[in-house]
Amino acid sequence: MFDDPAPRLPGAELSYQRHWLDAATADDWLRRLLDETLWQRPEVVLYGRRHPVPRLLAWYGDAGIRYRYSGMTHQPLPWTPLLAEIRRRLVEAVGQPLNGALLNCYRNGQDSMGWHSDDEPELGADPLVVSLSLGATRRFDLRRKGQQRIEHSLPLEHGSLLVMAGQTQHHWQHQVAKTRSHCAPRLNLTFRLIRSPL
């Protein structure tokens, strides 16, 4: 799909382009999305206790395209003009429809995303996740399901695009771990195709 090499992992279909966006556009989108997005910080219940998720997030999508994960069901916010334009460009790039986008804001190195697979039933048999990174570079780790060892790490840079398709979510988990290094804010826009709306 893209020219830049992605890790070749068994049972995974990954495409990565380090410089999908030019620097000026990436800077502009980052600034505008930080200002315009209706960020939320929901809580999850673990072992009977409520904990705020360690990042900010927002779910945008077509009307009626709800998304459920970690015990939460997110109602879609309507596309902003900027997000509609980003979606248009991504649909053109990947040649697939996309009807929802989960935006994550990592404010510093202590904001994170734990190990998981994007394998919710509404994403269909072979989930498509199109991930645009803006802002600080953060390490993206991959490991086989059922294993503890990190098998591959990929630095997701400002303006880069990672596409996970095919059987990837069946066999692999991924995370963005906490880091003690100083980190500027990072936005991750993960556009998806909800095949079976809730």
Side-chain angles (χ1 to χ4, degrees):
M1 185 179 297
F2 299 133
D3 295 332
D4 289 20
R8 294 195 174 190
L9 303 175
E13 188 178 320
L14 302 173
S15 302
Y16 181 60
Q17 186 172 356
R18 286 180 59 202
H19 303 294
W20 184 72
L21 275 184
D22 63 90
T25 302
D27 289 347
D28 177 59
W29 287 4
L30 174 63
R31 176 187 56 79
R32 292 169 61 190
L33 288 166
L34 283 170
D35 289 341
E36 296 174 7
T37 302
L38 299 175
W39 297 110
Q40 303 170 346
R41 193 176 184 207
E43 294 182 334
V44 294
V45 178
L46 296 172
Y47 306 109
R49 298 184 62 184
R50 301 183 72 83
H51 302 273
V53 297
R55 63 195 173 280
L56 305 178
L57 58 85
W59 172 251
Y60 288 81
D62 292 350
I65 299 298
R66 295 183 295 275
Y67 187 48
R68 181 176 52 215
Y69 71 95
S70 297
M72 299 177 289
T73 299
H74 298 273
Q75 300 293 334
L77 295 163
W79 298 106
T80 66
L82 175 56
L83 284 172
E85 171 61 15
I86 295 171
R87 176 172 69 157
R88 184 193 66 76
R89 290 184 59 173
L90 289 172
V91 166
E92 186 176 285
V94 302
Q96 296 285 337
L98 300 165
N99 56 11
L102 182 65
L103 279 61
N104 288 289
C105 177
Y106 300 83
R107 297 160 294 177
N108 53 50
Q110 291 305 294
D111 277 2
S112 62
M113 173 78 80
W115 286 111
H116 70 287
S117 298
D118 296 309
D119 55 2
E120 293 78 17
E122 57 267 32
L123 296 176
D126 293 323
L128 174 66
V129 180
V130 181
S131 175
L132 173 63
S133 292
L134 300 170
T137 299
R138 292 289 293 269
R139 195 185 79 204
F140 181 82
D141 299 321
L142 290 145
R143 72 179 184 188
R144 295 174 191 263
K145 283 189 175 180
Q147 302 294 317
Q148 298 299 313
R149 183 175 67 87
I150 295 173
E151 186 141 341
H152 190 86
S153 294
L154 188 65
L156 297 182
E157 301 176 34
H158 185 42
S160 67
L161 189 63
L162 172 68
V163 178
M164 296 182 284
Q167 296 281 300
T168 306
Q169 308 300 330
H170 295 271
H171 305 294
W172 294 87
Q173 292 182 315
H174 51 275
Q175 72 164 357
V176 176
K178 296 181 188 297
T179 176
R180 292 178 178 167
S181 301
H182 171 74
C183 279
R186 170 188 181 250
L187 298 187
N188 180 231
L189 288 64
T190 55
F191 283 76
R192 298 147 195 265
L193 176 59
I194 304 295
R195 300 177 188 273
S196 303
L198 298 173

